[in-house]
Amino acid sequence: MKYYDEYRDKELCQALIAKISSLTEESFTFMEVCGTHTISIFRSGIKDLLPENIHLISGPGCPVCVTPISDIDRIIALSRMDNTIIVTFGDMINVPGSTSSLKREKAIGADIRIIYSPSQALDIALEFPGKKVILVGIGFETTVPLLASVVLEAKEKNINNFYLLSLGKLMPPIIKALLGSHEARIDGMLCPGHVSAIIGSKPYQFIPDSYGIACVIAGFEPVDILIAIYHLIMQNINKDPRVENKYKRAVREEGNPTALNLINQVFIPRESEWRGMGRVKDSGLALRSEFSGWDARNFSVVAEITKENEQCLCGEVLRGVITPLQCPLFRKVCTPGNPIGACMVSGEGVCAAYYKYSSVKG
Amino acid sequence: MCLAIPGKIIKKIDNEQAEVLLGKVKKLIRVSLLPEVKDGDYVLVHAGYAITKVDFQQANEIEQAWEELES
Amino acid sequence: MTDQIITLDYGSGGKLTNQLIRSLFLKYFNNSILNQLHDGAILPQTKKRIAFSTDSYTVSPLFFNGGNIGDLAIHGTVNDLAMCGAIPKYFSVSFLIEEGVTLQTLEQITCSMAEASRRTGVEIVTGDTKVVNKGDIDGIFINTTGIGFIDNDVHIHPGSAQVNDVIIVNGPIGNHGISILASRENLQLEENVISDTAPLAELVQEMLSVTKEIHVLRDPTRGGLATALNEIAQSSQVEIEVLEEKIPIDTMVRDTCKILGYDPLYLANEGKLIAFLPEQFAEKALRRMRGNKLGEQATIIGRVIASGRAEVFLKTDIGGKRLLGMLSGEQLPRIC
């Protein structure tokens, strides 16, 4: 695939690895915030190629992993309403709520449909005028403008049996909360490439300015990730933390203004709960009042009382405080077949990646 | 966080929709987040929407990477 | 006869059931054993060992690019028998039909089953048909059970993989999985991805003519190549290393997987096999396979590197190494 394979070039990757290994003996820990980075790092074998002194830990960057159990229970309660179709990305199907999951509800009769694009939710709403069609609106700033454009289209075309459950999350506030807690030692941030395509590079400036931590915006192919790691090391060696954009082909400093306007037109930031990290100010998105007719939060449903498995340390894993290997449930009780926490369920989850891609010795 | 892959706009229909070629796969996508896009442009497609223009030449990241390795 | 709807009466065992059997199944499956319409098929004796396999087919949609549920049902069980090194001989077929399906659809499927069995030298010697209420099933489900004969000097078993065995695949993977997906999700693909559904019995016999020392054969259907490799690693308690850059994948399949976030190593195949055999026979086996239409792109993708621990490793295209696990759940379109 043109404009794709060059970023997987073996010779360039080997040269970058050699350069990275020659730069320093000092050990550094970098956090990749984005779940897609986590998977790409594991799948390409970069974790196996990096020298011992460079450690990569995963952050709260997978929209499924960070969705709290209470929100899953709410979606399940909505799916039990009559005349209702739940429309969702495939990522949400397996996530365990307190006692059930969308996959289980689907198996016992709930009408739950998996889509590739949020615009399909409107097609379904038009096809079934008698049904309440609820789109599960998860995602960070990459996906949120898509949800905004779907809500706008619903309003313009008077599709009044379509509803959005807004579970969108914002990246800068959660990074601020994470760094503020000073729990995990982080020498550098691998910033999410596609969120940055929307929000640009400026919103990360507080990371070097307030915390002195190196920042590089990275693409998702092996060459992109290795280039970013190389520059994170250089920033540390030169004691010169700043925000570097190493995904220039897709990210501009100002991001995507149209998308940012759409987000502000439809949503308003609000406090939101993150799995394992509690409530974080202005880190979620609510529909503005003029869209209340399409807001699935207006359905008064009684979700069951949230029951969390205390032993589940997804929170600590998401905050980069521990790796999955230090979680007591990992690989013993908590497996892809029997996921306890969302980090094991989601294909992008860090525990799922550790389980799938690194052998027993970790 | 977000799977997105590069595709080439082969036929812009209107400010809402366009036909794109993702490798060898032809797909109808939404361009409401990039209304200014035109035929021949490369875009990143995420969940059926173009989210940003992709500029390979201007970025020339691969050449820059090799240059940095020599330095 | 063509636009008639199959109703519950066709399953009653009465006049309409018999009319169905005579006008459709006997017409297309036509052989001396079935034509006796006995309650069971009485088969001739054999001194060879018998391989026996069964599978049910519930593919939806019923018709997809490159095939339909009918030829899939024959090829699938032919391949299971071929993986035992057997020559498929006698099959049973049982249909479960949802009321409302048209006779024309059933005829089309029956015709392609007859065609597929003729091409593989299989005779459908016994069968059954039931019609069920609307909504109980999705159109048509088919079970096929097959008997095949194994020559005495052939010993193929999932537990027989040995250190230094090379692993050969007979062609590109993931095509069936994507062709079903493309039909179900109506993805407009510039070039249609055709299902690879095909009978592998003849290809296996050609491989056996090169060497009887084929240790393992497996057709990687559901769960894909990665799951099949893990099953063999478990049965043989061996460590397997596979080279990502050697695994043949059609560009269309690779591109579609990237869009939907799927991994082609876990997509279903319906005309592929993986073979474990000693290195010294590899080149001759490859040459012979490449002479067969179903083996034109046969290639070595890896080897057994150690015994004692059941693990499958992938040497990635950038030179890294990582575990290649089993499929842990249905693959779904994802955004992240």
Side-chain angles (χ1 to χ4, degrees), chain A residues 3 7 19 34 36 116-117 140 142-143 149-150 153 194 231 248-250 252 256 262, chain B residues 1-2 27 30 33 42 44 46-49 51-57 61 68 71:
Chain A
Y3 295 127
Y7 296 95
K19 183 80 175 183
C34 162
T36 314
Y116 159 68
S117 173
F140 284 92
T142 316
T143 317
S149 108
V150 165
E153 196 176 333
H194 292 146
H231 282 277
K248 288 199 172 58
R249 62 184 186 276
R252 273 157 285 287
N256 177 338
L262 266 176
Chain B
M1 190 113 29
C2 323
K27 218 168 166 7
R30 297 293 184 103
L33 305 183
Y42 275 88
L44 270 186
H46 169 63
Y49 283 70
I51 59 169
T52 184
K53 268 178 76 174
V54 184
D55 188 343
F56 295 98
Q57 273 74 20
E61 289 142 327
E68 278 179 277
S71 66

mmCIF file of all heavy atoms in Angstrom, chain A residues 3 7 19 34 36 116-117 140 142-143 149-150 153 194 231 248-250 252 256 262, chain B residues 1-2 27 30 33 42 44 46-49 51-57 61 68 71:
data_model
loop_
_atom_site.group_PDB
_atom_site.id
_atom_site.type_symbol
_atom_site.label_atom_id
_atom_site.label_comp_id
_atom_site.label_asym_id
_atom_site.label_seq_id
_atom_site.Cartn_x
_atom_site.Cartn_y
_atom_site.Cartn_z
ATOM 1 N N TYR A 3 2.550 4.830 0.327
ATOM 2 C CA TYR A 3 2.528 5.721 1.488
ATOM 3 C C TYR A 3 2.231 4.963 2.757
ATOM 4 O O TYR A 3 1.630 5.465 3.679
ATOM 5 C CB TYR A 3 1.490 6.851 1.297
ATOM 6 C CG TYR A 3 1.847 7.781 0.173
ATOM 7 C CD1 TYR A 3 0.959 8.068 -0.856
ATOM 8 C CD2 TYR A 3 3.132 8.333 0.103
ATOM 9 C CE1 TYR A 3 1.322 8.893 -1.897
ATOM 10 C CE2 TYR A 3 3.504 9.164 -0.943
ATOM 11 C CZ TYR A 3 2.589 9.429 -1.939
ATOM 12 O OH TYR A 3 2.953 10.247 -2.966
ATOM 13 N N TYR A 7 6.896 3.242 5.729
ATOM 14 C CA TYR A 7 6.993 3.508 7.171
ATOM 15 C C TYR A 7 7.148 2.207 7.954
ATOM 16 O O TYR A 7 7.083 2.194 9.173
ATOM 17 C CB TYR A 7 5.776 4.315 7.639
ATOM 18 C CG TYR A 7 5.733 5.693 7.000
ATOM 19 C CD1 TYR A 7 4.991 5.922 5.842
ATOM 20 C CD2 TYR A 7 6.497 6.736 7.520
ATOM 21 C CE1 TYR A 7 4.994 7.170 5.242
ATOM 22 C CE2 TYR A 7 6.503 7.989 6.906
ATOM 23 C CZ TYR A 7 5.753 8.202 5.771
ATOM 24 O OH TYR A 7 5.773 9.417 5.165
ATOM 25 N N LYS A 19 20.837 3.153 16.306
ATOM 26 C CA LYS A 19 21.129 4.529 16.756
ATOM 27 C C LYS A 19 20.625 4.703 18.200
ATOM 28 O O LYS A 19 21.352 5.194 19.071
ATOM 29 C CB LYS A 19 20.416 5.526 15.830
ATOM 30 C CG LYS A 19 20.696 6.989 16.143
ATOM 31 C CD LYS A 19 22.049 7.406 15.552
ATOM 32 C CE LYS A 19 22.290 8.892 15.752
ATOM 33 N NZ LYS A 19 23.554 9.344 15.125
ATOM 34 N N CYS A 34 -1.561 6.355 23.806
ATOM 35 C CA CYS A 34 -2.647 5.912 22.909
ATOM 36 C C CYS A 34 -2.646 4.393 22.746
ATOM 37 O O CYS A 34 -1.607 3.784 22.480
ATOM 38 C CB CYS A 34 -2.412 6.586 21.566
ATOM 39 S SG CYS A 34 -3.284 5.819 20.244
ATOM 40 N N THR A 36 -3.725 2.635 20.319
ATOM 41 C CA THR A 36 -3.284 2.193 18.984
ATOM 42 C C THR A 36 -1.756 2.124 18.934
ATOM 43 O O THR A 36 -1.185 1.257 18.271
ATOM 44 C CB THR A 36 -3.846 3.165 17.919
ATOM 45 O OG1 THR A 36 -5.218 3.402 18.194
ATOM 46 C CG2 THR A 36 -3.708 2.602 16.526
ATOM 47 N N TYR A 116 -19.287 0.225 11.583
ATOM 48 C CA TYR A 116 -17.922 0.647 11.274
ATOM 49 C C TYR A 116 -17.864 2.186 11.336
ATOM 50 O O TYR A 116 -16.928 2.776 11.838
ATOM 51 C CB TYR A 116 -17.539 0.108 9.883
ATOM 52 C CG TYR A 116 -16.400 0.860 9.249
ATOM 53 C CD1 TYR A 116 -15.113 0.781 9.772
ATOM 54 C CD2 TYR A 116 -16.632 1.690 8.154
ATOM 55 C CE1 TYR A 116 -14.070 1.501 9.219
ATOM 56 C CE2 TYR A 116 -15.588 2.412 7.600
ATOM 57 C CZ TYR A 116 -14.317 2.319 8.128
ATOM 58 O OH TYR A 116 -13.289 3.032 7.576
ATOM 59 N N SER A 117 -18.961 2.829 10.881
ATOM 60 C CA SER A 117 -18.949 4.304 10.883
ATOM 61 C C SER A 117 -20.198 4.837 11.578
ATOM 62 O O SER A 117 -21.294 4.308 11.377
ATOM 63 C CB SER A 117 -18.945 4.811 9.435
ATOM 64 O OG SER A 117 -19.107 6.229 9.434
ATOM 65 N N PHE A 140 -11.987 9.526 21.724
ATOM 66 C CA PHE A 140 -11.295 10.773 22.094
ATOM 67 C C PHE A 140 -11.508 11.794 20.983
ATOM 68 O O PHE A 140 -12.391 11.635 20.135
ATOM 69 C CB PHE A 140 -9.793 10.467 22.303
ATOM 70 C CG PHE A 140 -9.519 9.764 23.616
ATOM 71 C CD1 PHE A 140 -9.482 8.378 23.688
ATOM 72 C CD2 PHE A 140 -9.328 10.496 24.780
ATOM 73 C CE1 PHE A 140 -9.248 7.730 24.892
ATOM 74 C CE2 PHE A 140 -9.095 9.857 25.988
ATOM 75 C CZ PHE A 140 -9.059 8.467 26.046
ATOM 76 N N THR A 142 -10.329 12.310 18.270
ATOM 77 C CA THR A 142 -10.325 11.828 16.870
ATOM 78 C C THR A 142 -11.735 11.460 16.430
ATOM 79 O O THR A 142 -12.140 11.727 15.310
ATOM 80 C CB THR A 142 -9.458 10.540 16.765
ATOM 81 O OG1 THR A 142 -8.264 10.743 17.498
ATOM 82 C CG2 THR A 142 -9.133 10.221 15.329
ATOM 83 N N THR A 143 -12.471 10.818 17.344
ATOM 84 C CA THR A 143 -13.806 10.294 17.002
ATOM 85 C C THR A 143 -14.906 11.299 17.331
ATOM 86 O O THR A 143 -15.943 11.321 16.668
ATOM 87 C CB THR A 143 -14.048 8.992 17.807
ATOM 88 O OG1 THR A 143 -12.862 8.192 17.780
ATOM 89 C CG2 THR A 143 -15.204 8.200 17.215
ATOM 90 N N SER A 149 -20.821 15.573 14.078
ATOM 91 C CA SER A 149 -21.407 15.783 12.723
ATOM 92 C C SER A 149 -22.649 14.915 12.563
ATOM 93 O O SER A 149 -23.605 15.320 11.884
ATOM 94 C CB SER A 149 -20.340 15.505 11.666
ATOM 95 O OG SER A 149 -20.587 14.312 10.999
ATOM 96 N N VAL A 150 -22.675 13.762 13.227
ATOM 97 C CA VAL A 150 -23.859 12.894 13.128
ATOM 98 C C VAL A 150 -25.042 13.551 13.856
ATOM 99 O O VAL A 150 -26.167 13.562 13.343
ATOM 100 C CB VAL A 150 -23.556 11.492 13.726
ATOM 101 C CG1 VAL A 150 -24.829 10.706 13.968
ATOM 102 C CG2 VAL A 150 -22.630 10.720 12.797
ATOM 103 N N GLU A 153 -26.373 16.334 11.764
ATOM 104 C CA GLU A 153 -27.124 15.815 10.613
ATOM 105 C C GLU A 153 -28.516 15.369 11.067
ATOM 106 O O GLU A 153 -29.508 15.605 10.383
ATOM 107 C CB GLU A 153 -26.360 14.638 9.992
ATOM 108 C CG GLU A 153 -26.829 14.279 8.594
ATOM 109 C CD GLU A 153 -25.974 13.166 7.960
ATOM 110 O OE1 GLU A 153 -24.775 13.044 8.334
ATOM 111 O OE2 GLU A 153 -26.513 12.418 7.128
ATOM 112 N N HIS A 194 -3.354 10.674 16.045
ATOM 113 C CA HIS A 194 -4.604 11.045 15.370
ATOM 114 C C HIS A 194 -5.451 12.006 16.193
ATOM 115 O O HIS A 194 -6.178 12.826 15.640
ATOM 116 C CB HIS A 194 -5.376 9.767 14.998
ATOM 117 C CG HIS A 194 -4.654 8.996 13.934
ATOM 118 N ND1 HIS A 194 -4.641 7.618 13.855
ATOM 119 C CD2 HIS A 194 -3.857 9.433 12.909
ATOM 120 C CE1 HIS A 194 -3.881 7.249 12.823
ATOM 121 N NE2 HIS A 194 -3.395 8.340 12.233
ATOM 122 N N HIS A 231 13.812 10.844 19.402
ATOM 123 C CA HIS A 231 13.773 12.272 19.760
ATOM 124 C C HIS A 231 13.446 12.472 21.241
ATOM 125 O O HIS A 231 13.920 13.418 21.865
ATOM 126 C CB HIS A 231 12.778 13.006 18.848
ATOM 127 C CG HIS A 231 13.348 13.265 17.491
ATOM 128 N ND1 HIS A 231 14.163 14.345 17.222
ATOM 129 C CD2 HIS A 231 13.302 12.542 16.336
ATOM 130 C CE1 HIS A 231 14.569 14.295 15.964
ATOM 131 N NE2 HIS A 231 14.063 13.215 15.388
ATOM 132 N N LYS A 248 4.449 14.906 10.868
ATOM 133 C CA LYS A 248 4.123 16.127 10.103
ATOM 134 C C LYS A 248 3.184 15.850 8.943
ATOM 135 O O LYS A 248 2.426 16.727 8.529
ATOM 136 C CB LYS A 248 5.417 16.783 9.604
ATOM 137 C CG LYS A 248 6.243 17.463 10.691
ATOM 138 C CD LYS A 248 7.224 18.457 10.072
ATOM 139 C CE LYS A 248 7.910 19.284 11.143
ATOM 140 N NZ LYS A 248 8.644 18.427 12.146
ATOM 141 N N ARG A 249 3.235 14.612 8.410
ATOM 142 C CA ARG A 249 2.384 14.370 7.230
ATOM 143 C C ARG A 249 0.905 14.476 7.582
ATOM 144 O O ARG A 249 0.064 14.682 6.713
ATOM 145 C CB ARG A 249 2.692 12.991 6.621
ATOM 146 C CG ARG A 249 2.433 11.782 7.526
ATOM 147 C CD ARG A 249 2.882 10.514 6.774
ATOM 148 N NE ARG A 249 2.576 9.275 7.459
ATOM 149 C CZ ARG A 249 3.330 8.725 8.415
ATOM 150 N NH1 ARG A 249 4.437 9.355 8.840
ATOM 151 N NH2 ARG A 249 3.000 7.580 8.960
ATOM 152 N N ALA A 250 0.562 14.328 8.871
ATOM 153 C CA ALA A 250 -0.865 14.322 9.205
ATOM 154 C C ALA A 250 -1.224 15.381 10.253
ATOM 155 O O ALA A 250 -2.387 15.741 10.394
ATOM 156 C CB ALA A 250 -1.260 12.954 9.750
ATOM 157 N N ARG A 252 -0.865 19.215 11.885
ATOM 158 C CA ARG A 252 -0.425 20.613 11.761
ATOM 159 C C ARG A 252 -0.601 21.276 13.120
ATOM 160 O O ARG A 252 -1.432 20.849 13.936
ATOM 161 C CB ARG A 252 -1.279 21.323 10.699
ATOM 162 C CG ARG A 252 -0.682 21.142 9.284
ATOM 163 C CD ARG A 252 -1.702 21.315 8.189
ATOM 164 N NE ARG A 252 -2.594 20.159 8.078
ATOM 165 C CZ ARG A 252 -2.214 18.975 7.572
ATOM 166 N NH1 ARG A 252 -0.947 18.790 7.204
ATOM 167 N NH2 ARG A 252 -3.064 17.968 7.470
ATOM 168 N N ASN A 256 -7.289 20.534 13.123
ATOM 169 C CA ASN A 256 -8.335 20.612 12.085
ATOM 170 C C ASN A 256 -9.417 21.574 12.580
ATOM 171 O O ASN A 256 -10.308 21.179 13.360
ATOM 172 C CB ASN A 256 -8.916 19.212 11.838
ATOM 173 C CG ASN A 256 -10.066 19.240 10.819
ATOM 174 O OD1 ASN A 256 -10.706 20.282 10.606
ATOM 175 N ND2 ASN A 256 -10.321 18.115 10.200
ATOM 176 N N LEU A 262 -16.828 22.077 15.073
ATOM 177 C CA LEU A 262 -17.978 21.148 15.186
ATOM 178 C C LEU A 262 -18.113 20.661 16.630
ATOM 179 O O LEU A 262 -19.215 20.622 17.191
ATOM 180 C CB LEU A 262 -17.754 19.949 14.265
ATOM 181 C CG LEU A 262 -18.359 20.018 12.863
ATOM 182 C CD1 LEU A 262 -17.969 18.792 12.051
ATOM 183 C CD2 LEU A 262 -19.869 20.121 12.967
ATOM 184 N N MET B 1 -5.578 4.791 20.070
ATOM 185 C CA MET B 1 -6.810 5.594 20.298
ATOM 186 C C MET B 1 -7.658 5.586 19.035
ATOM 187 O O MET B 1 -8.858 5.578 19.081
ATOM 188 C CB MET B 1 -6.361 7.050 20.528
ATOM 189 C CG MET B 1 -7.415 7.944 20.985
ATOM 190 S SD MET B 1 -6.989 8.406 22.620
ATOM 191 C CE MET B 1 -5.221 8.285 22.545
ATOM 192 N N CYS B 2 -6.957 5.556 17.910
ATOM 193 C CA CYS B 2 -7.826 5.770 16.763
ATOM 194 C C CYS B 2 -7.154 5.205 15.518
ATOM 195 O O CYS B 2 -6.150 5.731 15.085
ATOM 196 C CB CYS B 2 -8.061 7.223 16.572
ATOM 197 S SG CYS B 2 -8.198 8.043 18.155
ATOM 198 N N LYS B 27 -14.042 3.178 -1.322
ATOM 199 C CA LYS B 27 -15.048 3.341 -0.270
ATOM 200 C C LYS B 27 -15.654 4.735 -0.353
ATOM 201 O O LYS B 27 -14.982 5.704 -0.708
ATOM 202 C CB LYS B 27 -14.349 3.191 1.104
ATOM 203 C CG LYS B 27 -15.212 2.453 2.114
ATOM 204 C CD LYS B 27 -14.421 2.067 3.322
ATOM 205 C CE LYS B 27 -15.278 1.641 4.489
ATOM 206 N NZ LYS B 27 -16.691 1.496 4.319
ATOM 207 N N ARG B 30 -17.279 10.202 4.401
ATOM 208 C CA ARG B 30 -17.806 11.548 4.673
ATOM 209 C C ARG B 30 -16.641 12.533 4.714
ATOM 210 O O ARG B 30 -15.587 12.224 5.260
ATOM 211 C CB ARG B 30 -18.492 11.541 6.049
ATOM 212 C CG ARG B 30 -19.702 10.611 6.130
ATOM 213 C CD ARG B 30 -20.821 11.107 5.264
ATOM 214 N NE ARG B 30 -22.036 10.305 5.361
ATOM 215 C CZ ARG B 30 -23.116 10.668 6.062
ATOM 216 N NH1 ARG B 30 -23.103 11.772 6.768
ATOM 217 N NH2 ARG B 30 -24.194 9.907 6.052
ATOM 218 N N LEU B 33 -15.804 16.909 7.777
ATOM 219 C CA LEU B 33 -14.769 17.507 8.644
ATOM 220 C C LEU B 33 -13.670 18.156 7.820
ATOM 221 O O LEU B 33 -12.774 18.818 8.364
ATOM 222 C CB LEU B 33 -14.154 16.414 9.553
ATOM 223 C CG LEU B 33 -15.118 15.599 10.407
ATOM 224 C CD1 LEU B 33 -14.356 14.619 11.289
ATOM 225 C CD2 LEU B 33 -15.987 16.525 11.255
ATOM 226 N N TYR B 42 -4.661 13.432 -0.587
ATOM 227 C CA TYR B 42 -4.585 12.269 0.301
ATOM 228 C C TYR B 42 -5.171 12.690 1.651
ATOM 229 O O TYR B 42 -4.942 13.813 2.123
ATOM 230 C CB TYR B 42 -3.126 11.815 0.478
ATOM 231 C CG TYR B 42 -2.676 10.898 -0.635
ATOM 232 C CD1 TYR B 42 -2.135 11.419 -1.818
ATOM 233 C CD2 TYR B 42 -2.852 9.517 -0.528
ATOM 234 C CE1 TYR B 42 -1.761 10.580 -2.859
ATOM 235 C CE2 TYR B 42 -2.479 8.667 -1.567
ATOM 236 C CZ TYR B 42 -1.937 9.196 -2.723
ATOM 237 O OH TYR B 42 -1.585 8.370 -3.751
ATOM 238 N N LEU B 44 -6.525 11.140 5.799
ATOM 239 C CA LEU B 44 -6.575 10.034 6.763
ATOM 240 C C LEU B 44 -8.051 9.727 7.009
ATOM 241 O O LEU B 44 -8.835 10.645 7.271
ATOM 242 C CB LEU B 44 -5.931 10.440 8.095
ATOM 243 C CG LEU B 44 -4.433 10.186 8.254
ATOM 244 C CD1 LEU B 44 -3.993 10.515 9.669
ATOM 245 C CD2 LEU B 44 -4.076 8.738 7.919
ATOM 246 N N HIS B 46 -10.818 7.793 9.238
ATOM 247 C CA HIS B 46 -11.102 7.181 10.540
ATOM 248 C C HIS B 46 -12.594 6.920 10.640
ATOM 249 O O HIS B 46 -13.399 7.836 10.507
ATOM 250 C CB HIS B 46 -10.666 8.152 11.660
ATOM 251 C CG HIS B 46 -11.135 7.755 13.037
ATOM 252 N ND1 HIS B 46 -10.728 6.589 13.647
ATOM 253 C CD2 HIS B 46 -11.993 8.372 13.901
ATOM 254 C CE1 HIS B 46 -11.305 6.500 14.840
ATOM 255 N NE2 HIS B 46 -12.082 7.574 15.018
ATOM 256 N N ALA B 47 -12.970 5.632 10.800
ATOM 257 C CA ALA B 47 -14.396 5.246 10.945
ATOM 258 C C ALA B 47 -15.258 5.900 9.874
ATOM 259 O O ALA B 47 -16.332 6.406 10.160
ATOM 260 C CB ALA B 47 -14.879 5.632 12.343
ATOM 261 N N GLY B 48 -14.763 5.884 8.640
ATOM 262 C CA GLY B 48 -15.584 6.343 7.524
ATOM 263 C C GLY B 48 -15.583 7.836 7.291
ATOM 264 O O GLY B 48 -16.334 8.327 6.450
ATOM 265 N N TYR B 49 -14.750 8.582 8.021
ATOM 266 C CA TYR B 49 -14.676 10.034 7.838
ATOM 267 C C TYR B 49 -13.242 10.458 7.537
ATOM 268 O O TYR B 49 -12.293 9.944 8.156
ATOM 269 C CB TYR B 49 -15.118 10.766 9.115
ATOM 270 C CG TYR B 49 -16.610 10.815 9.356
ATOM 271 C CD1 TYR B 49 -17.322 9.668 9.693
ATOM 272 C CD2 TYR B 49 -17.305 12.021 9.256
ATOM 273 C CE1 TYR B 49 -18.690 9.702 9.913
ATOM 274 C CE2 TYR B 49 -18.684 12.072 9.477
ATOM 275 C CZ TYR B 49 -19.370 10.917 9.817
ATOM 276 O OH TYR B 49 -20.724 10.964 10.033
ATOM 277 N N ILE B 51 -10.396 12.808 8.323
ATOM 278 C CA ILE B 51 -10.177 13.667 9.507
ATOM 279 C C ILE B 51 -9.066 14.684 9.294
ATOM 280 O O ILE B 51 -8.967 15.673 10.007
ATOM 281 C CB ILE B 51 -9.853 12.831 10.776
ATOM 282 C CG1 ILE B 51 -8.609 11.965 10.577
ATOM 283 C CG2 ILE B 51 -11.060 12.011 11.202
ATOM 284 C CD1 ILE B 51 -8.109 11.327 11.879
ATOM 285 N N THR B 52 -8.174 14.423 8.292
ATOM 286 C CA THR B 52 -7.126 15.424 8.044
ATOM 287 C C THR B 52 -6.510 15.146 6.676
ATOM 288 O O THR B 52 -6.619 14.020 6.168
ATOM 289 C CB THR B 52 -6.016 15.354 9.124
ATOM 290 O OG1 THR B 52 -5.093 16.414 8.876
ATOM 291 C CG2 THR B 52 -5.265 14.037 9.068
ATOM 292 N N LYS B 53 -5.926 16.184 6.095
ATOM 293 C CA LYS B 53 -5.209 15.969 4.840
ATOM 294 C C LYS B 53 -3.834 15.395 5.177
ATOM 295 O O LYS B 53 -3.266 15.697 6.239
ATOM 296 C CB LYS B 53 -5.053 17.309 4.090
ATOM 297 C CG LYS B 53 -6.203 17.569 3.098
ATOM 298 C CD LYS B 53 -6.042 18.917 2.429
ATOM 299 C CE LYS B 53 -4.952 18.859 1.352
ATOM 300 N NZ LYS B 53 -4.855 20.108 0.584
ATOM 301 N N VAL B 54 -3.325 14.560 4.284
ATOM 302 C CA VAL B 54 -1.995 13.980 4.517
ATOM 303 C C VAL B 54 -1.067 14.517 3.431
ATOM 304 O O VAL B 54 -1.397 14.486 2.250
ATOM 305 C CB VAL B 54 -2.056 12.435 4.432
ATOM 306 C CG1 VAL B 54 -0.691 11.852 4.765
ATOM 307 C CG2 VAL B 54 -3.104 11.901 5.385
ATOM 308 N N ASP B 55 0.091 15.034 3.881
ATOM 309 C CA ASP B 55 0.998 15.653 2.918
ATOM 310 C C ASP B 55 2.345 14.939 2.990
ATOM 311 O O ASP B 55 3.168 15.227 3.872
ATOM 312 C CB ASP B 55 1.147 17.140 3.276
ATOM 313 C CG ASP B 55 1.917 17.860 2.174
ATOM 314 O OD1 ASP B 55 2.576 17.136 1.376
ATOM 315 O OD2 ASP B 55 1.862 19.084 2.116
ATOM 316 N N PHE B 56 2.517 13.935 2.123
ATOM 317 C CA PHE B 56 3.733 13.101 2.209
ATOM 318 C C PHE B 56 4.970 13.872 1.742
ATOM 319 O O PHE B 56 6.015 13.837 2.357
ATOM 320 C CB PHE B 56 3.552 11.832 1.363
ATOM 321 C CG PHE B 56 2.471 10.946 1.899
ATOM 322 C CD1 PHE B 56 1.191 10.976 1.354
ATOM 323 C CD2 PHE B 56 2.704 10.107 2.986
ATOM 324 C CE1 PHE B 56 0.174 10.182 1.864
ATOM 325 C CE2 PHE B 56 1.687 9.306 3.515
ATOM 326 C CZ PHE B 56 0.429 9.353 2.943
ATOM 327 N N GLN B 57 4.803 14.597 0.609
ATOM 328 C CA GLN B 57 5.992 15.279 0.053
ATOM 329 C C GLN B 57 6.526 16.274 1.065
ATOM 330 O O GLN B 57 7.664 16.182 1.502
ATOM 331 C CB GLN B 57 5.630 16.028 -1.243
ATOM 332 C CG GLN B 57 5.720 15.165 -2.481
ATOM 333 C CD GLN B 57 4.560 14.187 -2.569
ATOM 334 O OE1 GLN B 57 3.516 14.401 -1.914
ATOM 335 N NE2 GLN B 57 4.728 13.099 -3.299
ATOM 336 N N GLU B 61 9.416 12.665 5.764
ATOM 337 C CA GLU B 61 9.935 12.166 7.052
ATOM 338 C C GLU B 61 10.993 11.083 6.863
ATOM 339 O O GLU B 61 11.927 10.957 7.634
ATOM 340 C CB GLU B 61 8.767 11.591 7.878
ATOM 341 C CG GLU B 61 7.828 12.667 8.399
ATOM 342 C CD GLU B 61 6.363 12.238 8.365
ATOM 343 O OE1 GLU B 61 5.994 11.486 7.438
ATOM 344 O OE2 GLU B 61 5.596 12.656 9.240
ATOM 345 N N GLU B 68 19.203 12.233 9.676
ATOM 346 C CA GLU B 68 19.532 12.339 11.106
ATOM 347 C C GLU B 68 20.403 11.174 11.543
ATOM 348 O O GLU B 68 21.270 11.310 12.403
ATOM 349 C CB GLU B 68 18.239 12.380 11.922
ATOM 350 C CG GLU B 68 17.615 13.763 11.969
ATOM 351 C CD GLU B 68 16.323 13.765 12.771
ATOM 352 O OE1 GLU B 68 15.282 13.414 12.168
ATOM 353 O OE2 GLU B 68 16.367 14.051 13.972
ATOM 354 N N SER B 71 23.931 11.869 10.882
ATOM 355 C CA SER B 71 24.612 12.998 11.602
ATOM 356 C C SER B 71 25.277 12.490 12.871
ATOM 357 O O SER B 71 24.941 11.420 13.378
ATOM 358 C CB SER B 71 23.546 14.027 12.002
ATOM 359 O OG SER B 71 22.703 13.418 12.952
#
